[in-house]
Amino acid sequence: MTDESEGAVRAAIDGEMRLLDPEVRASPSRVLELLDPEFTEIGASGRRWDVESILTVTSGGSVPPESPVNVSEMSGVVLAPGVVHLTYFADDQGRRAWRSSVWRLTGTGWRMYFHQGTLTA
């Protein structure tokens, strides 16, 4: 992996971890800095989300500070210049899921364009 690719993957991972931070999730303006205006998600529940619906949930304290999401096996790959795909395992108070995100570089920085969660045993 080139230095440029490593930097892109690192930026996407940093953004992903910020979105999982309870303090960031509680701040709609901070969440908006990290989500692409065209963001969509297919949640582990099967529900489809967009920016507006995600802001409604995250600003409601969906990640309690005393129980942060535990992340492992985080990896990323550059799919094309300015596009990074991340995968990782998340354990949210016993709700375990494989997660996948696509990040793209915009004029304002790296933003999550797409996210999907798949529950696992």
Side-chain angles (χ1 to χ4, degrees), residues 40-52:
T40 59
E41 175 177 339
I42 299 170
S45 65
R47 180 176 174 183
R48 187 176 171 101
W49 303 83
D50 60 14
V51 173
E52 186 176 310

Side-chain angles (χ1 to χ4, degrees), residues 1-110:
M1 191 180 300
T2 67
D3 287 347
E4 186 175 327
S5 293
E6 286 181 23
V9 169
R10 173 55 37 208
I13 289 172
D14 289 348
E16 191 83 39
M17 296 308 293
R18 286 177 44 211
L19 277 173
L20 292 170
D21 181 315
E23 288 184 29
V24 172
R25 290 175 73 91
S27 169
S29 64
R30 291 173 74 186
V31 171
L32 279 174
E33 290 173 2
L34 296 166
L35 294 182
D36 192 275
E38 298 177 23
F39 169 81
T40 59
E41 175 177 339
I42 299 170
S45 65
R47 180 176 174 183
R48 187 176 171 101
W49 303 83
D50 60 14
V51 173
E52 186 176 310
S53 58
I54 284 293
L55 287 176
T56 299
V57 171
T58 59
S59 61
S62 63
V63 179
E66 64 279 358
S67 301
V69 175
N70 292 313
V71 173
S72 61
E73 301 183 50
M74 177 80 74
S75 66
V77 63
V78 174
L79 298 177
V83 180
V84 171
H85 178 228
L86 298 179
T87 58
Y88 62 97
F89 186 77
D91 185 335
D92 184 5
Q93 302 176 48
R95 187 167 191 238
R96 300 159 45 97
W98 284 105
R99 300 276 174 181
S100 176
S101 298
V102 175
W103 288 77
R104 68 179 178 181
L105 185 59
T106 69
T108 58
W110 285 93

